[in-house]
């Protein structure tokens, strides 16, 4: 079965579960099936936190990840927590300011300024959506307008402009990374 | 209700299943990893004319649920391990007085406060034997979000039809897991058997053919006495040995009589399995994947998954294993060995039954289980 495994990792309070739920919601609207799980510490801020998403067209027999296709790391706390799940062909996106020591191996790893960009938009807490925009741009698992609709549906209306800008900034980062076909 | 396709969390599915089953009263005290059940019920119950109460603690929550049920309303509470311990005394009252109710326990790491956000399956025996006395209780253990929805409905149906508390036992992974589900047309929810007929002949604990005494509906005028003391059919306390034997015996006989209605289980690739796995909850999901992977490599592994955990579907397990000709049984679970005790009791005389245990706050993986099966089959 053709399943894609995605992990959002970092520290508690970075909106990792929120980002995963938004993507899950966009994907189900596209007719895909998702299984979304998480692990976090019993604190409201800080501590190792992660949200996982398995995207498939049938029912996922096992709803927890075993080999990641896409890994997002937003904090040094999570830098190496997922090393065992990374294999050849994976794409790893790390926050260039907050992750000092990204994973290394036979996979592509990009350091991108998610938090810095969110700060520039006026709220560093939107880093999760900048990263989500970049992830969707690079992973091509979901149409961008579906992602925007799912974000608007799940997030407070007062944050709609910030969130739209954050997603777009992330997408621009992805566009800058994607090598055009034949290029 | 038309079919809806949506992403739903296990805990939310439990709450929506309860609403669909006709639950109209929830009393609880929030605790990770069950809090979303209370949260969802607090939003949904007022919409359908139900009542949500956040109580001062778990003991009071259980008492309120019993009171609501005696008032004729389908009632539920939800908690995790530490809260489940607190509910046990009143759960015993509900067992003895035969008060229908549904108690959800979303298991986390323990003992005590343990690991609030980590999964475990350490309450398998507490769910069966947590309360005092020689009691009966039904425990259902779903393994997916969709099954959490349907088993919550079944929990209410069994509870109402059989006048017995039903425990819905989830683990943290299933409770917090979000899966895409299709909620179909809701099956008709079972209704409680209320007393009819001449009031002067009514006995609140009458011995009927189905062993389920009709309950008096408040306001219908039937005189009833309800007590935690062992009682005769008239509801008043007794310590006469023959009356006690009949009263306590009926509680067990009732579940035996309705065993077919209560028991639910699934098997996968069991027919020719050399090694049979027995598992529940998220561990059963890992086992499903392990069986798929092993079968793809020509290894004859099979799975028996009890959905009704207690009373354990014992004949079904014996039959499935006998038919398979399996020579070994592995019981993976997120504790130091509880479910394995029941499987050993049922199969241990003839077969090698061993556990596979993980109790560090992480779920057993398909690879862990597959490796254990291979080890078993190694020459």
């Amino acid at each position: 079965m053709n399943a894609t495994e995605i992990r959002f990792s970092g520290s508690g309070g970075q909106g990792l579960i929120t980002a995963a739920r938004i993507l899950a919601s966009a994907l189900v609207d596209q007719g895909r099936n998702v299984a979304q799980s998480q692990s976090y510490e019993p604190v409201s801020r800080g501590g190792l936190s992660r949200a996982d998403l398995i995207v498939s067209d049938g029912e996922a027999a096992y709803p927890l990840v075993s080999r990641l296709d896409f890994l997002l790391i937003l904090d040094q706390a999570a830098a190496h927590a997922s090393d065992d799940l990374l294999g050849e062909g994976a794409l790893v996106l790390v926050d260039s300011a907050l992750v000092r020591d990204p994973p290394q191996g036979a996979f592509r790893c990009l350091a991108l300024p998610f938090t810095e960009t969110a700060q520039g938009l006026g709220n560093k807490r939107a880093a999760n959506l900048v990263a989500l925009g970049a992830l969707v741009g690079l992973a091509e698992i979901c149409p961008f307008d579906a992602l925007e609709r799912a974000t608007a549906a799940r997030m407070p209306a007062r944050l709609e402009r910030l969130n739209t800008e954050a997603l777009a900034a992330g997408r621009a980062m992805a566009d800058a990374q994607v090598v055009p076909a034949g290029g | 209700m038309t079919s809806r396709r949506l992403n739903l969390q296990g805990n939310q599915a439990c709450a929506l299943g309860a609403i669909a089953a006709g639950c109209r009263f929830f009393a609880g005290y929030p605790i990770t990893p069950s809090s979303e059940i209370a949260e969802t019920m607090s939003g949904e119950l007022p919409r359908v004319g139900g009542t949500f109460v956040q109580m001062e603690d778990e003991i009071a929550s259980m008492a309120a649920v019993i009171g609501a049920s005696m008032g004729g309303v389908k009632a539920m509470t939800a908690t995790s391990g530490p809260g489940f311990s607190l509910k046990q005394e009143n759960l015993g009252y509900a067992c003895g007085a035969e008060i229908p109710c549904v108690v959800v326990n979303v298991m986390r790491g323990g003992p005590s406060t343990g690991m609030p956000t980590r999964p475990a399956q350490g309450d398998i025996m507490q769910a069966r034997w947590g309360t005092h006395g020689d009691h009966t209780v039904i425990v259902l253990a779903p393994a997916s979000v969709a099954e959490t929805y349907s088993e919550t409905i079944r929990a209410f149906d069994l509870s109402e039809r059989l006048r017995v508390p039903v425990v819905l036992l989830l683990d943290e992974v299933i409770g917090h897991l979000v899966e895409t589900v299709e909620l179909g047309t809701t099956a008709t929810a079972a209704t409680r058997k209320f007393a009819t007929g001449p009031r002067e002949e009514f006995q609140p604990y009458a011995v009927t053919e189905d062993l389920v005494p009709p309950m008096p509906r408040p306001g219908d005028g039937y005189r009833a006495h309800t007590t935690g003391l062992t009682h005769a059919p008239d509801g008043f306390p007794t310590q006469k040995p023959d009356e006690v034997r009949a009263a306590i015996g009926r509680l067990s006989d009732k579940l035996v009589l309705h065993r077919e209605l209560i028991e639910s289980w699934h098997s996968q690739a069991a027919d020719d399995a050399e090694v049979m796995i027995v598992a529940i909850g998220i561990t059963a999901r890992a086992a499903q994947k392990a069986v798929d992977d092993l079968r793809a490599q020509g290894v004859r592994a099979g799975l028996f998954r009890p959905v009704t955990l207690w009373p354990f579907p014992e004949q079904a397990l014996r039959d499935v294993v006998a038919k398979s000709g399996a020579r070994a049984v592995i019981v993976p679970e997120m504790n130091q060995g509880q479910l394995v005790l029941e499987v050993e009791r049922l199969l241990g005389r003839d077969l090698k039954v061993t556990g596979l245990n993980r109790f560090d706050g992480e779920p057993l993986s398909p690879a862990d289980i597959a490796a254990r099966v291979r080890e078993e089959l190694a020459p």
Side-chain angles (χ1 to χ4, degrees):
Chain A
M1 192 179 57
N2 187 20
T4 306
E5 300 190 357
I6 306 168
R7 169 168 288 181
F8 301 76
S9 66
S11 68
Q14 286 188 305
L16 303 158
I17 297 174
T18 301
R21 295 259 170 101
I22 289 172
L23 182 54
S25 162
L27 287 161
V28 77
D29 290 343
Q30 297 297 304
R32 311 294 305 273
N33 279 355
V34 301
Q36 190 268 310
S37 58
Q38 56 268 305
S39 173
Y40 53 89
E41 307 289 334
V43 292
S44 30
R45 295 278 179 273
L48 182 61
S49 176
R50 63 174 191 246
D52 296 342
L53 194 58
I54 299 182
V55 190
S56 64
D57 290 320
E59 193 184 329
Y62 186 56
L64 305 184
V65 298
S66 54
R67 189 177 184 282
L68 296 172
D69 296 288
F70 301 98
L71 170 64
L72 180 69
I73 307 175
L74 288 189
D75 191 274
Q76 178 62 28
H80 295 285
S82 310
D83 284 359
D84 291 349
L85 299 172
L86 286 172
E88 215 170 308
L91 173 64
V92 181
L93 304 180
V94 307
D95 188 285
S96 54
L98 298 180
V99 181
R100 295 186 306 277
D101 168 28
Q104 292 182 339
F107 44 81
R108 192 173 174 213
C109 181
L110 299 172
L112 297 169
F114 302 127
T115 303
E116 211 177 306
T117 304
Q119 219 144 16
L121 293 172
N123 190 340
K124 72 170 183 180
R125 291 182 64 194
N128 61 340
L129 292 185
V130 178
L132 181 59
L135 176 78
V136 167
L138 287 162
E140 296 180 339
I141 45 167
C142 170
F144 209 79
D145 58 340
L147 181 67
E148 288 176 326
R149 279 197 304 275
T151 306
R154 292 190 69 95
M155 300 296 281
R158 66 191 160 79
L159 295 174
E160 190 165 346
R161 192 172 152 198
L162 171 69
N163 289 337
T164 307
E165 288 174 357
L167 289 174
R171 184 191 197 179
M173 284 179 198
D175 289 345
Q177 296 294 332
V178 175
V179 182
Chain B
M1 191 168 113
T2 51
S3 176
R4 286 185 293 157
R5 191 168 170 281
L6 72 167
N7 289 342
L8 204 58
Q9 188 201 47
N11 282 341
Q12 291 172 329
C14 174
L16 297 185
I19 299 284
C23 174
R24 292 297 178 265
F25 183 90
F26 182 100
Y29 186 82
I31 178 171
T32 302
S34 76
S35 298
E36 295 86 355
I37 299 174
E39 184 189 0
T40 308
M41 290 304 266
S42 73
E44 295 294 326
L45 273 173
R47 284 189 235 279
V48 293
T51 305
F52 173 92
V53 192
Q54 180 168 325
M55 298 297 290
E56 67 268 34
D57 62 26
E58 288 89 346
I59 300 172
S61 307
M62 190 65 215
V65 161
I66 291 169
S69 182
M70 288 171 70
V73 177
K74 293 184 185 180
M76 176 170 93
T77 186
T79 187
S80 185
F84 192 50
S85 296
L86 288 170
K87 291 180 195 294
Q88 293 296 343
E89 185 188 5
N90 280 331
L91 185 59
Y93 184 94
C95 290
E98 294 175 87
I99 311 297
C101 56
V102 174
V103 179
V104 187
N105 175 9
V106 187
M107 291 182 283
R108 70 189 210 183
S112 191
T113 315
M115 293 180 289
T117 62
R118 296 276 191 248
Q121 295 178 317
D123 300 344
I124 286 175
M125 285 298 175
Q126 188 188 203
R128 172 64 189 89
W129 295 114
T131 196
H132 48 280
D134 199 14
H135 67 280
T136 55
V137 65
I138 296 173
V139 181
L140 308 178
S144 69
V145 173
E147 198 170 76
T148 299
Y149 182 82
S150 58
E151 286 300 303
T152 304
I153 294 174
R154 208 167 72 89
F156 275 97
D157 287 357
L158 291 173
S159 181
E160 295 290 327
R161 285 178 70 168
L162 303 177
R163 274 192 79 170
V164 63
V166 176
V167 174
L168 191 79
L169 194 64
L170 306 178
D171 53 69
E172 184 275 341
V173 178
I174 299 296
H176 277 162
L177 183 66
V178 173
E179 291 187 288
T180 307
V181 296
E182 275 188 54
L183 299 186
T185 312
T186 307
T188 47
T191 48
R192 190 178 297 182
K193 196 169 69 174
F194 284 111
T196 53
R199 287 175 192 161
E200 57 281 10
E201 289 171 21
F202 175 71
Q203 291 205 309
Y205 293 94
V207 180
T208 55
E209 203 178 327
D210 65 358
L211 302 182
V212 183
M215 281 183 83
R217 194 200 310 265
D220 281 0
Y222 292 96
R223 290 179 58 166
H225 183 263
T226 309
T227 173
L229 291 165
T230 304
H231 41 269
D234 63 7
F236 288 97
T238 178
Q239 299 203 56
K240 290 180 188 162
D242 56 335
E243 287 182 350
V244 170
R245 196 184 320 110
I248 304 298
R250 183 176 57 75
L251 298 182
S252 312
D253 292 346
K254 181 171 71 171
L255 295 203
V256 172
L257 180 66
H258 296 280
R259 189 171 271 269
E260 268 187 46
L261 182 72
I262 298 166
E263 286 183 1
S264 173
W265 53 276
H266 289 281
S267 66
Q268 176 192 356
D271 283 355
D272 64 342
E274 283 185 88
V275 176
M276 192 72 73
I277 304 164
V278 181
I280 61 163
I282 186 60
T283 311
R285 295 290 289 277
Q288 281 174 3
K289 176 76 162 55
V291 167
D292 283 343
D293 292 349
L294 288 164
R295 286 279 170 174
Q297 295 156 3
V299 179
R300 281 156 53 194
L303 170 67
F304 180 88
R305 178 169 76 83
V307 180
T308 304
L309 177 60
W310 305 112
F312 195 89
E314 40 190 67
Q315 197 53 48
L317 176 66
R318 283 195 175 113
D319 290 348
V320 166
V321 169
K323 195 177 166 206
S324 72
R327 53 190 166 100
V329 179
I330 295 169
V331 186
E333 48 188 326
M334 286 189 283
N335 58 47
Q336 296 186 64
Q338 298 189 13
L339 184 57
V340 70
L341 300 176
E342 180 70 358
V343 178
E344 266 174 3
R345 182 181 76 81
L346 296 168
L347 303 172
R349 279 185 199 174
D350 307 315
L351 286 170
K352 184 182 172 196
V353 177
T354 47
L356 172 62
N357 308 97
R358 188 161 187 180
F359 45 92
D360 59 357
E362 294 290 333
L364 279 155
S365 72
D368 293 336
I369 296 170
R372 183 68 190 79
V373 170
R374 286 181 181 285
E375 197 180 299
E376 196 59 51
L377 288 171

